[in-house]
Amino acid sequence: MTGGAPGGPQEAEVVVVGAGQAGLSAAWHLRRLGLVPGTDAVVLDRGPAPGGAWQFRWEALRLDDAHKVDDLPGMREIGLSFATADGDRPARDVVREYYDRYERAFDLRVRRPVEVTAVREAGDGRLRVETDRGALLTRALVNASGTWARPFRPYFAGAADFRGVQVSTPQYRSARDFAGLRVAVVGGGTSATGFLHELEGVAASTVWVTRRPVRFTDDPGAGVEAVRRADEAARAGRPLPSISSGTGLPATPRNLAAVERGLLVARPMFAAVEPDGLRWADGAFEPVDAIIWATGFRAELTHLAPLGLREPGGGVRVEQGRSVRDPRVFLAGYGPQASTIGANRAGRTVARQVVEYLRGAPAAA
């Protein structure tokens, strides 16, 4: 990173916000295309350690329990692959270790912990990236901030008056915290099923509630339609649909056995939350002591608000990973790129576009 005026903001050709899968993939490809890490291409990450959002996941989660985690580009060159990782270790520890070794091997020079608070016009054709550790001026920005910091919790009448415990996915730590409690798990993704597995035999009882009927599948192509819908929404600037709603849940022997014994049998969504439980539209009532909201996430884009990228429908128009409203802003791991495979492809696509843009864009005034 080059210095600006004495005492002023530092400068870089491109700033990458986030060092999860999409951010590291973009950084690797930018390096491969000739941008020097830490000087031309600066990666900022708010996490205290490598690992992206994985470092914050609960201890019991294993790689085999999650959606497939794809290798980062170049990972096998340094003798690493998630396909051969130790499945008995916590996923957060494996990913943290592998990402740390990856960053070091390719000298990506990630700066952390750095919180990006706002991205604004600099007034000279560049962007001003404001952080809790000072500001940077950049000609291009790759936003790979992910979704972990923005869990979505739907509104339900009475939720504020519930007397029990309510947590969202990022707040979940261990089934031990719910020992002896009657627990409702809300949501139809892999996090929800993971929580139910862990709570079995620890919680007094569990009830699973989903907005849509649950579908277990072993079809490797099940996500194609979900990715198409996400891409369509991103191009139109609409709020992004849930990827997991189109992919279904993995039909693993463990999940299918849990269906047979009644653990993974979902009830339709309730109508209201009452102080001591859940009320359905037909009058049925389920007493619960805790609610785990495994209801998904929204893209973390609040720091981009000063640029006015959002459309009237609430989304950001993105085509091939690039903002339609501001050609200096690229979004990696957004919408159809949110899966691990998509994040890797996005890194390559975005890096190539960034380099093309830098070669054709005028220098700062």
Side-chain angles (χ1 to χ4, degrees), residues 80-250:
L80 296 177
S81 175
F82 288 117
T84 56
D86 185 354
D88 293 328
R89 296 178 60 200
R92 66 186 185 190
D93 295 344
V94 175
V95 177
R96 185 164 51 205
E97 176 189 321
Y98 280 26
Y99 279 19
D100 180 48
R101 291 170 63 181
Y102 183 86
E103 291 178 16
R104 293 174 185 273
F106 294 109
D107 194 28
L108 298 181
R109 304 191 184 187
V110 178
R111 293 175 174 258
R112 62 168 59 88
V114 178
E115 181 78 24
V116 175
T117 55
V119 181
R120 308 178 190 276
E121 290 286 351
D124 60 359
R126 292 181 294 179
L127 297 167
R128 178 184 174 90
V129 182
E130 298 178 356
T131 82
D132 59 354
R133 298 199 173 192
L136 300 88
L137 297 176
T138 184
R139 296 172 63 198
L141 181 101
V142 176
N143 192 78
S145 52
T147 62
W148 188 255
R150 285 200 66 203
F152 171 70
R153 185 182 295 189
Y155 170 80
F156 279 97
D161 299 320
F162 181 64
R163 295 193 185 102
V165 175
Q166 295 188 72
V167 299
S168 294
T169 297
Q171 299 167 306
Y172 182 93
R173 292 293 175 266
S174 170
R176 294 187 298 272
D177 297 334
F178 301 89
L181 301 182
R182 299 166 296 183
V183 183
V185 178
V186 185
T190 54
S191 293
T193 57
F195 296 152
L196 288 158
H197 279 297
E198 293 173 31
L199 291 164
E200 187 177 23
V202 178
S205 64
T206 59
V207 57
W208 186 21
V209 186
T210 64
R211 188 176 297 279
R212 303 177 185 85
V214 174
R215 179 171 60 96
F216 291 92
T217 178
D218 55 7
D219 178 6
V224 173
E225 176 61 17
V227 170
R228 186 198 65 77
R229 288 172 51 240
D231 182 60
E232 186 179 81
R235 289 175 180 271
R238 299 194 305 269
L240 300 174
S242 165
I243 292 289
S244 63
S245 67
T247 59
L249 292 167

Side-chain angles (χ1 to χ4, degrees), residues 284-353:
F285 180 76
E286 180 78 31
V288 298
D289 307 303
I291 304 172
I292 300 175
W293 297 96
T295 41
F297 298 83
R298 296 293 183 264
E300 176 50 83
L301 303 176
T302 53
H303 52 287
L304 301 180
L307 298 178
L309 303 181
R310 288 198 181 275
E311 300 295 324
V316 175
R317 284 187 65 199
V318 176
E319 293 186 0
Q320 294 295 309
R322 191 173 191 175
S323 164
V324 172
R325 284 183 176 255
D326 193 326
R328 300 166 298 179
V329 178
F330 302 81
L331 292 94
Y334 179 82
Q337 308 163 350
S339 67
T340 58
I341 296 175
N344 278 350
R345 291 173 179 166
R348 179 178 66 248
T349 300
V350 163
R352 289 175 176 171
Q353 290 187 87

